[in-house]
């Protein structure tokens, strides 16, 4: 089997994908049209040309603008369903997707509209595609602590449908410590905890996510390598990092995929996983990410297997389901 076929055959779990970041320009145009909302682009080609980012903020500005056309429950369903179809193509058999409630509630869209649309797509994906999923809601860190508390309160009636709480948006200048109290309450309510840290922000933000937010996983975390003590802690605690290679390249976190540290992190015993982040904006879904690092870093099939095993180990599925997928990976013939 070629490396490419091996990647395609590997069952994978995706643990770091923003559902708003899977919004393909074609669907954005279709939904904008049916909702009669103007978007500042004339064509799909023009949208794609705008996807030229020099840092996280330059991407976020466009990403939030795109989400503005999502109004009705059906829009959220269509968005998530299109992503599930990509999962099926890439043998992503389980996904834990982020959504940003504040991006929508701040525009007057009901929390219920968002979650009901997403949940319905999750239910249909389970039946029609055999893909399992969890939803994780993220607080926007450039907004206030008070706004995060309000969002947490709005989520409580949907606690059974939301497995965890995360933290995303502009990282620099918005350390995890700003949200220590709201994450403490989220933990008390029984939510699992993740947070973006160490993407553009320093290793210090990863320490804060661990010590103050008490995360179950770190999203990105690639800058942890700058701090040997932090690296030792991540290894000792088997703390997962949900790494997003194409995202790091597009947002200039690395300037060349050949310089990406995912292989070094893996070799040093860090529990790294591969993810697509905002695949519509960054040029590829799960398998594109696997292919990009395999080509640039010369990954072996054993390393590919380890990355896929890590994705299930780091997921929020049951021990039994983890064992099921891990044994399938171990028995996959090369
Ligand atoms: N980082 C922070 N916030 C985000 C990202 C990201 O990569 N994608 C969507 N929101
Ligand atoms: Zn992200």
């Amino acid at each position: 089997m070629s490396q490419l076929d091996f990647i395609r055959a590997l069952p994978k779990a995706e643990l770091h994908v923003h559902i708003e970041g899977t919004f393909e320009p074609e669907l954005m145009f279709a939904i904008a049209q049916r909702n009669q909302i103007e978007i500042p682009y004339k064509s799909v080609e023009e949208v794609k040309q705008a996807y030229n980012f020099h840092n996280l903020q330059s991407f976020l500005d466009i990403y939030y603008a795109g989400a503005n056309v999502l109004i009705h429950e059906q829009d959220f369903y269509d968005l998530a369903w299109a992503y599930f179809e990509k999962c099926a193509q890439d043998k992503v058999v389980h996904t834990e997707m982020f959504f940003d409630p504040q991006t929508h509630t701040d525009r007057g869209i009901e929390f219920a509209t968002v979650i009901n649309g997403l949940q319905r797509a999750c239910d249909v994906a389970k039946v029609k595609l055999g893909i399992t999923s969890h939803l994780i809601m993220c607080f926007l860190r450039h907004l206030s602590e008070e706004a995060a508390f309000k969002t947490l309160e709005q989520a409580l009636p949907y606690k059974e449908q939301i497995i965890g709480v995360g933290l995303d948006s502009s990282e620099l200048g918005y350390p995890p410590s700003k949200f220590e109290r709201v994450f403490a309450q989220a933990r008390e309510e029984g939510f699992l905890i993740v947070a973006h840290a160490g993407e553009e922000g320093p290793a210090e933000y990863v320490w804060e996510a661990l010590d103050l937010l008490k995360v179950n996983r770190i999203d990105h975390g690639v800058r942890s390598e700058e701090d040997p003590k932090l690296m030792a802690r991540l290894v000792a605690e088997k703390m997962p990092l949900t790494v997003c290679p194409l995202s790091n390249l597009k947002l200039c976190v690395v300037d060349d995929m050949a310089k990406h540290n995912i292989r070094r992190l893996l070799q040093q015993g860090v529990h790294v996983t591969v993810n697509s982040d905002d695949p519509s904006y960054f040029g590829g879904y799960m398998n594109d990410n696997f292919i990009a690092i395999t080509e640039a870093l010369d990954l072996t099939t054993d390393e590919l297997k380890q990355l896929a095993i890590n994705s299930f180990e780091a997921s929020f599925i049951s021990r039994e389901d983890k064992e099921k997928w891990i044994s399938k990976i171990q028995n996959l013939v090369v």
Side-chain angles (χ1 to χ4, degrees), residues 59-297:
F59 151 70
L60 289 171
D61 293 341
I62 288 182
Y63 160 87
Y64 293 130
N68 278 340
V69 308
L70 299 163
I71 307 285
H72 305 291
E73 186 189 308
Q74 186 67 34
D75 304 341
F76 291 94
Y77 173 87
D78 290 346
L79 174 68
W81 181 253
Y83 165 65
F84 277 118
E85 289 188 317
K86 302 284 188 181
C87 289
Q89 284 170 19
D90 280 5
K91 209 160 174 62
V92 170
V93 296
H94 174 73
T95 178
E96 301 184 355
M97 56 173 117
F98 300 138
F99 67 108
D100 290 339
Q102 289 156 298
T103 299
H104 312 299
T105 53
D106 283 2
R107 299 181 289 118
I109 311 298
E110 297 287 329
F111 195 101
T113 303
V114 181
I115 191 127
N116 290 342
L118 298 179
Q119 182 65 56
R120 188 156 57 86
C122 293
D123 294 344
V124 176
K126 177 84 178 46
V127 175
K128 284 203 179 161
L129 305 172
I131 298 172
T132 58
S133 54
H134 288 311
L135 294 173
I136 298 174
M137 70 162 191
C138 291
F139 300 127
L140 300 183
R141 66 203 303 160
H142 68 279
L143 300 179
S144 67
E145 182 198 38
E146 190 191 352
F149 267 115
K150 194 175 149 212
T151 304
L152 181 59
E153 202 176 295
Q154 286 174 324
L156 293 182
Y158 304 97
K159 220 158 118 174
E160 297 310 308
Q161 289 157 262
I162 302 172
I163 198 157
V165 170
L167 185 65
D168 66 2
S169 190
S170 324
E171 187 181 8
L172 285 168
Y174 305 100
S177 52
K178 178 179 168 187
F179 297 96
E180 183 176 357
R181 292 186 296 187
V182 69
F183 275 85
Q185 191 176 327
R187 288 198 313 275
E188 270 174 35
E189 294 287 356
F191 292 104
L192 295 170
I193 304 295
V194 298
H196 283 54
E199 177 187 18
E200 282 189 343
E204 180 56 30
Y205 285 19
V206 179
W207 283 107
E208 286 190 10
L210 295 170
D211 290 333
L212 305 181
L213 307 189
K214 305 189 194 302
V215 292
N216 300 95
R217 299 195 290 251
I218 295 283
D219 295 316
H220 291 295
V222 287
R223 287 196 59 194
S224 303
E225 205 185 22
E226 295 167 19
D227 181 343
K229 274 205 182 121
L230 176 58
M231 288 288 285
R233 169 139 181 218
L234 296 175
V235 173
E237 292 185 4
K238 259 189 112 212
M239 176 58 61
L241 303 188
T242 62
V243 176
C244 308
L246 285 172
S247 165
N248 294 152
L249 188 66
K250 290 286 175 181
L251 300 186
C252 307
V253 169
V254 288
D255 59 15
D256 182 349
M257 197 60 98
K259 292 189 204 156
H260 200 287
N261 65 3
I262 189 166
R263 190 176 191 194
R264 282 201 306 277
L265 292 168
L266 186 67
Q267 287 171 342
Q268 290 174 78
V270 181
H271 196 103
V272 285
T273 66
V274 178
N275 306 272
S276 70
D277 207 5
D278 302 281
S280 163
Y281 294 88
F282 299 151
Y285 287 79
M286 179 63 95
N287 285 357
D288 301 310
N289 276 275
F290 263 96
I291 292 164
I293 54 172
T294 301
E295 287 177 349
L297 304 171

Side-chain angles (χ1 to χ4, degrees), residues 1-10 294 301 304 332-334:
M1 210 191 289
S2 71
Q3 285 285 74
L4 205 66
D5 288 338
F6 187 70
I7 289 169
R8 291 196 187 109
L10 264 180
T294 301
T301 43
L304 293 172
L332 200 63
V333 275
V334 181

